[in-house]
Amino acid sequence: MAEPVCERLALIGVGLIGSSIARAAREFGAARHIALMDSSPSVVARARELGLADLATEDHAEALAGADLVIVCTPVGVCGEVAQKIAPYLPKGAVVSDVGSVKGAVVAQMAPHLSERTRFIPAHPIAGTEFSGPDAGFAMLFQNRWCILTPPDGADASAVEKLMAFWTRLGAKVETMSVAHHDAVLALTSHLPHLIAYNIVGTADDFGDETRSEVIKFSASGFRDFTRIAASDPIMWRDIFLANKDAVLEMLGRFNEDLSALQRMIRRGDGQGLFEFFSRTREIRRSIIEQGQDTAAPDFGRRSGN
Amino acid sequence: MAEPVCERLALIGVGLIGSSIARAAREFGAARHIALMDSSPSVVARARELGLADLATEDHAEALAGADLVIVCTPVGVCGEVAQKIAPYLPKGAVVSDVGSVKGAVVAQMAPHLSERTRFIPAHPIAGTEFSGPDAGFAMLFQNRWCILTPPDGADASAVEKLMAFWTRLGAKVETMSVAHHDAVLALTSHLPHLIAYNIVGTADDFGDETRSEVIKFSASGFRDFTRIAASDPIMWRDIFLANKDAVLEMLGRFNEDLSALQRMIRRGDGQGLFEFFSRTREIRRSIIEQGQDTAAPDFGRRSGN
């Protein structure tokens, strides 16, 4: 196996992403030593039971001792607080990163606490499932998934290279872009779809018990796909919408305008308009399959099973 | 193998559903003889190449001769026209059915043409993929899927039983309900989700080429799941929204009210409200998995492949 990318890796926060990074780093030999830190004793205990790392602790000093790569894997909303807490224990020259789905707010909250002795390179691995917690992680989560780095102007080139090498080793495809551009693109590809999915499932939930049970029964007709997205971690998503408010509201405004137009076509019985709209959207699907971002298998193999 | 449920099955329209019924009827011995009829010569030619049935023809009289079960499998928008065309050739006592995703409009359009010599029992198998045409069908499409029958008041009991037996043989779970109830439930579980998915993909498509290519690149972050739904047949969906206009507009009204409330929470930074909303929607997902309507496997096995 190739040489490790870093000597001592410290992961702060052991949820789906933190535990997946630990598993992947071990699987692909990305770090010589892996330390996990979580503020929850039960999570630390579980990480030990699962044998996720060389060290699992609630103690900042212990987790961060000698670390040359530190990745904060907590929900976006507590990143600033976490940065403040770990700052005194960060070794000089350490590369510090995160995994937040929003970059503007995270940088604003974390950067002030990270002294000039460390090198802060924000990152966002675009990977996840609807499950949470240390048990939910797995080593292959980042395989062929994108990881976006948003290095600040004048960032230390060797720090960027180190983080790139780390994510590449874990199986990710790495790309760099500006913080603002990241937040706009993700508002459209991720944050808005999640908001819409949460919303439609909520609409169904507001009906009485009888209708709700029928919605569940007949969910395979389309609704089901939304429920998977809307089962994602509520704390994570609360934080994302608060942290990326402006970009999300901008995308939501566009979505609402388009939906009003579709609503009007239905009300007026404009079959030609509906047909043209529905034909256009097939193209995007085709491009996604061509670029290997999804499989063309119908219904993702559900047809054979349940 | 058990005795066939019907002697001569005639399927009018050979798309995804019609060709899947033909395949399943043969696979499970549901009919002694299967005839396919389509108005498109190329579709008939393809059905012959694929060997989907005992007979494939553009001729109504030939397809319907001696049929004891006739299922119209065309888009909802042409059901009335098709009923008018086949009426003269329907054998006395034949059970006539359909597969439309909307029942009110279909019954209104078809029933007047079907003489009292036949027995019309509307049906809706809740199964499909995002693909269309005779090549897209497969025999297992209906396995463990619901098929809803909406027999009119005073429907002939033996006709209902025959249709139930047919769909059960194809692997479906059969349930009966009223036309109005069907259309309301499906507006929520199927039609609204499709409208929303089409809309969000359309919103992305309106951006310039650069943003669009990034949307495709980073689609795994949530957007991808919408594109699959929004790749469904545009003619089928145009017809559904026109035919189930009232129920869809009613559900869309509720959806919009809820979305306004979420939008307001984001704008005002109401983290507690967002958290409560996002927690509630997890419950519905859990129920869907418990009732076997989906698998709990994260990301439907995508994690291992692409």
Side-chain angles (χ1 to χ4, degrees):
Chain A
M1 198 176 277
E3 277 291 290
V5 177
C6 66
E7 291 300 313
R8 293 181 76 92
L9 169 67
L11 302 169
I12 313 300
V14 191
L16 169 66
I17 300 296
S19 74
S20 293
I21 294 177
R23 288 175 166 101
R26 176 173 284 172
E27 175 86 17
F28 302 110
R32 209 174 294 278
H33 180 277
I34 305 172
L36 297 178
M37 190 264 144
D38 202 287
S39 58
S40 155
S42 64
V43 169
V44 170
R46 187 64 189 144
R48 283 185 191 147
E49 277 170 32
L50 293 168
L52 291 180
D54 302 297
L55 169 71
T57 174
E58 294 162 58
D59 186 79
H60 289 103
E62 197 184 3
L64 293 165
D68 55 329
L69 177 58
V70 179
I71 305 182
V72 174
C73 308
T74 61
V76 163
V78 295
C79 275
E81 194 187 318
V82 168
Q84 188 172 19
K85 278 188 184 154
I86 64 173
Y89 309 102
L90 290 171
K92 186 169 184 315
V95 175
V96 181
S97 189
D98 76 311
V99 297
S101 304
V102 179
K103 297 268 67 89
V106 165
V107 170
Q109 285 159 28
M110 289 182 75
H113 301 294
L114 302 172
S115 83
E116 288 166 8
R117 296 189 314 127
T118 64
R119 298 172 291 168
F120 179 41
I121 312 290
H124 175 205
I126 302 181
T129 74
E130 68 272 36
F131 298 103
S132 328
D135 285 275
F138 51 95
M140 303 303 281
L141 180 61
F142 310 107
Q143 286 296 308
N144 279 315
R145 294 286 137 226
W146 289 100
C147 181
I148 302 179
L149 309 191
T150 61
D153 287 345
D156 183 281
S158 69
V160 176
E161 271 167 33
K162 182 170 186 156
L163 195 59
M164 274 189 168
F166 181 79
W167 281 108
T168 304
R169 183 68 71 86
L170 265 47
K173 299 176 285 184
V174 181
E175 173 130 341
T176 61
M177 60 174 71
S178 75
V179 162
H181 191 70
H182 169 279
D183 286 358
V185 169
L186 269 289
L188 181 58
T189 58
S190 174
H191 308 167
L192 181 59
H194 276 81
L195 189 71
I196 298 306
Y198 275 120
N199 191 65
I200 198 168
V201 176
T203 301
D205 192 50
D206 282 340
F207 280 87
D209 285 343
E210 200 189 330
T211 304
R212 194 161 48 221
S213 77
E214 286 185 331
V215 167
I216 290 163
K217 201 163 169 179
F218 303 119
S219 63
S221 51
F223 185 76
R224 178 179 65 182
D225 294 318
F226 289 77
T227 65
R228 192 183 64 79
I229 303 181
S232 302
D233 185 36
I235 293 178
M236 170 179 162
W237 284 98
R238 174 199 67 192
D239 288 358
I240 287 173
F241 291 117
L242 296 179
N244 202 20
K245 177 166 115 171
D246 293 343
V248 168
L249 290 176
E250 155 72 17
M251 294 303 169
L252 188 53
R254 289 168 179 262
F255 173 87
N256 278 329
E257 284 171 24
D258 295 344
L259 191 57
S260 296
L262 273 182
Q263 188 171 10
R264 190 159 179 270
M265 287 181 205
I266 294 173
R267 198 179 292 283
R268 294 161 62 103
D270 178 3
Q272 186 59 29
L274 290 171
F275 175 75
E276 283 165 15
F277 194 99
F278 299 161
S279 301
R280 203 153 58 86
T281 51
R282 273 193 150 175
E283 285 303 315
I284 282 204
R285 175 71 184 168
R286 204 161 296 150
S287 308
I288 285 175
I289 290 169
E290 280 165 9
Q291 296 199 15
Q293 291 294 301
D294 204 356
T295 160
D299 226 17
F300 300 115
R302 282 178 187 137
R303 72 193 209 189
S304 54
N306 52 325
Chain B
M1 201 177 277
E3 277 291 289
V5 177
C6 65
E7 292 299 315
R8 291 182 77 91
L9 169 67
L11 301 169
I12 314 298
V14 191
L16 168 68
I17 300 297
S19 75
S20 292
I21 295 178
R23 289 174 165 103
R26 175 172 285 172
E27 175 86 16
F28 302 110
R32 210 174 294 279
H33 181 276
I34 304 171
L36 297 178
M37 189 264 146
D38 202 287
S39 58
S40 154
S42 64
V43 169
V44 169
R46 187 64 188 142
R48 284 185 189 143
E49 277 171 28
L50 292 168
L52 291 180
D54 301 298
L55 170 70
T57 174
E58 295 162 59
D59 186 79
H60 289 103
E62 195 183 4
L64 292 166
D68 55 330
L69 177 58
V70 179
I71 305 182
V72 175
C73 308
T74 61
V76 163
V78 295
C79 274
E81 193 187 318
V82 168
Q84 187 171 20
K85 279 188 183 153
I86 64 173
Y89 309 102
L90 290 171
K92 187 171 184 310
V95 175
V96 181
S97 189
D98 75 311
V99 297
S101 304
V102 178
K103 296 270 66 86
V106 165
V107 171
Q109 285 160 28
M110 289 182 74
H113 302 293
L114 302 172
S115 84
E116 289 167 8
R117 297 188 313 124
T118 65
R119 299 172 291 169
F120 179 41
I121 313 290
H124 174 205
I126 302 182
T129 74
E130 68 272 35
F131 299 103
S132 327
D135 285 276
F138 51 95
M140 303 303 279
L141 180 61
F142 310 108
Q143 285 298 307
N144 281 313
R145 296 284 138 228
W146 289 98
C147 181
I148 302 178
L149 309 191
T150 60
D153 286 344
D156 183 282
S158 67
V160 176
E161 271 167 33
K162 182 171 187 155
L163 196 59
M164 273 189 173
F166 181 79
W167 280 109
T168 304
R169 183 67 72 89
L170 266 48
K173 299 175 286 186
V174 181
E175 173 129 340
T176 62
M177 59 174 73
S178 75
V179 163
H181 192 70
H182 169 278
D183 286 358
V185 169
L186 269 290
L188 181 58
T189 58
S190 175
H191 308 168
L192 181 59
H194 276 82
L195 189 70
I196 298 305
Y198 275 120
N199 191 65
I200 197 167
V201 177
T203 301
D205 192 49
D206 282 340
F207 280 86
D209 284 344
E210 198 190 332
T211 303
R212 194 161 50 222
S213 77
E214 287 186 329
V215 166
I216 290 162
K217 200 164 169 180
F218 303 119
S219 63
S221 51
F223 186 77
R224 177 180 66 182
D225 294 318
F226 289 77
T227 65
R228 190 182 66 78
I229 304 180
S232 302
D233 185 35
I235 293 177
M236 169 179 162
W237 283 99
R238 174 199 66 192
D239 288 358
I240 287 172
F241 291 115
L242 297 177
N244 202 20
K245 176 166 114 170
D246 292 343
V248 169
L249 290 176
E250 155 71 17
M251 293 302 168
L252 188 52
R254 288 168 179 261
F255 173 88
N256 278 330
E257 285 171 24
D258 295 343
L259 191 56
S260 296
L262 272 183
Q263 187 169 12
R264 191 161 178 270
M265 286 181 208
I266 293 173
R267 198 179 292 282
R268 295 161 58 103
D270 178 2
Q272 186 58 28
L274 290 171
F275 175 75
E276 282 165 16
F277 195 99
F278 298 161
S279 300
R280 204 154 59 87
T281 51
R282 276 192 147 173
E283 284 304 313
I284 282 203
R285 175 70 185 170
R286 203 161 296 152
S287 308
I288 285 175
I289 291 170
E290 278 165 10
Q291 295 198 18
Q293 291 294 301
D294 204 354
T295 161
D299 226 19
F300 300 115
R302 283 177 186 137
R303 73 192 208 187
S304 55
N306 55 324

